[in-house]
């Protein structure tokens, strides 16, 4: 089961994720001059300011999160169907756990 799921996510999900995230990543690359996302003080350059880097990281993380959330209508139908089937199987296998553990999947 998990090999089939991995294969399907690789086939159908890769194109979806590339189309979703590539513009954001390309923008990060294009605007990389003077912008850092490093928040580990031990790895920062001496001219970097931790608070600025934290803000940069928070902003790009929010943009990625927003892109993912707003893409639900473009999620590949093959994967949507597979996730729904998985949800149904889990509900039957673990009926007591629906609300606590897997409710968000459906």
């Amino acid at each position: 089961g998990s090999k089939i799921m991995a294969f399907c996510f690789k086939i159908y999900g890769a194109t979806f994720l590339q189309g979703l995230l590539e513009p954001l990543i390309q923008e990060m690359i294009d605007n990389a001059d003077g912008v850092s996302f490093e928040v580990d003080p031990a790895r920062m350059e001496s001219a970097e300011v931790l608070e600025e880097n934290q803000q940069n990281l928070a902003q790009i993380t929010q943009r990625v999160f927003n892109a993912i959330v707003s893409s639900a209508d473009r999620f590949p139908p093959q994967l949507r169907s597979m996730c729904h089937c998985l949800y149904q199987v889990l509900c039957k296998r673990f009926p007591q756990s629906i609300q606590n553990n897997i409710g968000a999947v459906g």
Side-chain angles (χ1 to χ4, degrees), residues 2 10 20-21 27 38 40 48 51-52 54 59-60 67 70 73 76-77 80-81 83 88-90 95 98 103:
S2 63
K10 182 182 270 189
L20 181 67
L21 299 177
E27 184 178 330
E38 182 60 65
D40 180 354
E48 292 182 58
E51 291 78 17
E52 288 179 20
Q54 288 171 332
Q59 287 173 348
I60 193 62
S70 67
D73 60 329
R80 186 182 306 262
S81 177
C83 288
Q88 289 177 324
V89 168
L90 291 174
I98 293 171

Side-chain angles (χ1 to χ4, degrees), residues 29-51:
I29 293 168
D30 293 345
N31 299 320
D33 289 342
V35 177
S36 177
F37 304 97
E38 182 60 65
V39 293
D40 180 354
R43 298 179 64 185
M44 290 174 52
E45 300 290 329
S46 60
E48 292 182 58
V49 178
L50 179 61
E51 291 78 17

Side-chain angles (χ1 to χ4, degrees), residues 75-88:
F75 192 72
Q78 300 90 341
L79 298 181
R80 186 182 306 262
S81 177
M82 190 173 63
C83 288
H84 182 70
C85 290
L86 177 61
Y87 174 74
Q88 289 177 324

Side-chain angles (χ1 to χ4, degrees), residues 60-71:
I60 193 62
T61 302
Q62 187 64 54
R63 292 186 62 207
V64 169
F65 179 78
N66 292 345
I68 292 169
V69 170
S70 67
S71 71

